[in-house]
Amino acid sequence: DRIKSGTAVPVTPPPTSPASHHRLWSEIDNVVKQQVAWARLGVGESGTGWQLFAEDGEMRMYRREEEVDGMVVDPLKAVHIVKGITGHEVCHYFFSPQYRYDWETTLEQMTVLETISEDTCLFLQTHKRIWPASQRDVIFWSHLRHLPNDQDRDGPDIWTVVNHSTEHKDYPANAGKCVRIYLTVCMLCQTRVNPPKDGAPISRDDISCKITYCSVVNPGGWAPASVLRAVYKREYPKFLKRFTAYVTNQTKDKSIMF
Ligand code: 18C
């Protein structure tokens, strides 16, 4: 109606990022949109077949058993609610290279191959070897994005980090001792605020963060399925518990970063 009558239409500009001139930009933007939509579906609405495989307090982890060319590529979806932290804080610590060695226990070495912009980096990581398989490495872009909630004024904003495998001419896959893995990971966060009734300033007791973590990892080469599934079962809960405890600990004496 407003278009027909010729009055100005309030247009929300698409999210812009300083990385938008980079060669990877259209892929980054597409994958981020897809991953956010997929994460927001939760496990209830995105079809059947999700099996709960780990539960601890508010944390629930689900997987689907899937194989591609005989390799286990089980998609994972995890949901967690953590009191006292915001989505912006969770994404800040997950994205920023300077904290990665503090919380990423499977990491052997991390190199920032390119800082595309303050919200987008290219990483090369080598991870610890699991006997009897070969050691793994991975190259991925990582993008941090804030999605303000303009549509539904009551709904929380979203902060997200998406990691997605890519290539780099100086680091071809499977050229050294490592087998290259391929991954897509999405950390999506929504902050809930319970405003204090007396009008007092919002404290960490008044906030909680709903985290949805989705991941698909292709091991890239031979790995025994039973060992791989045992590694998933042990490592994913360990990661999400350790990482969120790390964020809680890092932020507890700092002012809240909304
Ligand atoms: O999302 C996470 N981290 C991000 C920042 O690092 C990023 C990177 C993810 C890399 C995940 C793949 C790691 C492979 C590691 C091999 C396993 C080492 C175990 C060592 C035990 C001593 O997105 C958090 C990631 C949480 C990682 C959970 C483990 C996932 C296991 C995937 C297995 C992949 C193939 C392993 C091949 C060998 C199996 C026999």
Side-chain angles (χ1 to χ4, degrees):
D1 283 328
R2 300 180 78 166
I3 294 172
K4 276 186 221 148
S5 64
T7 46
V9 180
V11 176
T12 307
T16 55
S17 161
S20 58
H21 299 296
H22 195 268
R23 66 182 167 90
L24 286 170
W25 177 248
S26 66
E27 175 182 292
I28 293 172
D29 201 41
N30 284 333
V31 174
V32 169
K33 283 176 183 149
Q34 266 169 23
Q35 287 299 308
V36 167
W38 174 245
R40 291 187 78 176
L41 282 180
V43 278
E45 307 116 278
S46 53
T48 50
W50 289 103
Q51 305 169 15
L52 181 70
F53 75 91
E55 197 172 2
D56 191 336
E58 294 284 345
M59 186 182 82
R60 311 253 181 291
M61 290 200 158
Y62 304 83
R63 61 151 187 213
R64 279 167 124 119
E65 291 199 356
E66 272 180 32
E67 291 182 19
V68 171
D69 301 330
M71 273 185 293
V72 171
V73 292
D74 297 355
L76 170 119
K77 227 174 222 206
V79 183
H80 198 5
I81 295 171
V82 185
K83 292 191 177 122
I85 56 178
T86 67
H88 188 181
E89 290 167 337
V90 169
C91 287
H92 171 74
Y93 287 98
F94 188 65
F95 171 77
S96 307
Q98 69 264 37
Y99 311 115
R100 192 141 317 156
Y101 286 105
D102 295 347
W103 59 264
E104 182 62 286
T105 56
T106 71
L107 195 58
E108 190 171 275
Q109 202 187 340
M110 177 204 67
T111 309
V112 179
L113 296 180
E114 190 180 342
T115 303
I116 297 172
S117 58
E118 61 174 16
D119 60 14
T120 314
C121 288
L122 203 60
F123 291 97
L124 166 63
Q125 293 189 172
T126 56
H127 287 263
K128 290 175 185 161
R129 176 172 179 247
I130 309 169
W131 185 89
S134 305
Q135 191 178 12
R136 260 56 181 179
D137 69 5
V138 61
I139 292 181
F140 60 94
W141 53 255
S142 183
H143 178 70
L144 167 76
R145 185 174 291 190
H146 177 212
L147 299 160
N149 192 339
D150 302 329
Q151 317 304 321
D152 171 5
R153 293 184 68 108
D154 294 331
D157 282 9
I158 288 176
W159 280 88
T160 187
V161 176
V162 176
N163 296 340
H164 182 72
S165 278
T166 188
E167 291 172 356
H168 193 288
K169 61 176 175 25
D170 298 339
Y171 301 92
N174 309 322
K177 63 174 178 171
C178 286
V179 170
R180 179 73 40 91
I181 63 172
Y182 297 90
L183 59 78
T184 305
V185 163
C186 176
M187 174 79 85
L188 184 131
C189 301
Q190 293 162 292
T191 310
R192 304 253 159 84
V193 181
N194 232 340
K197 288 197 179 64
D198 52 7
I202 295 165
S203 78
R204 292 201 176 270
D205 294 336
D206 308 313
I207 60 175
S208 65
C209 182
K210 182 182 173 194
I211 298 172
T212 307
Y213 175 88
C214 302
S215 148
V216 181
V217 179
N218 183 320
W222 179 82
S226 59
V227 179
L228 202 52
R229 290 201 166 109
V231 172
Y232 272 53
K233 208 170 166 177
R234 185 188 65 210
E235 295 298 326
Y236 279 116
K238 186 172 151 192
F239 147 65
L240 201 55
K241 279 193 281 180
R242 184 184 158 95
F243 170 69
T244 51
Y246 174 75
V247 177
T248 302
N249 199 41
Q250 286 294 305
T251 52
K252 66 179 191 291
D253 299 321
K254 296 192 173 80
S255 54
I256 303 171
M257 185 163 76
F258 282 105

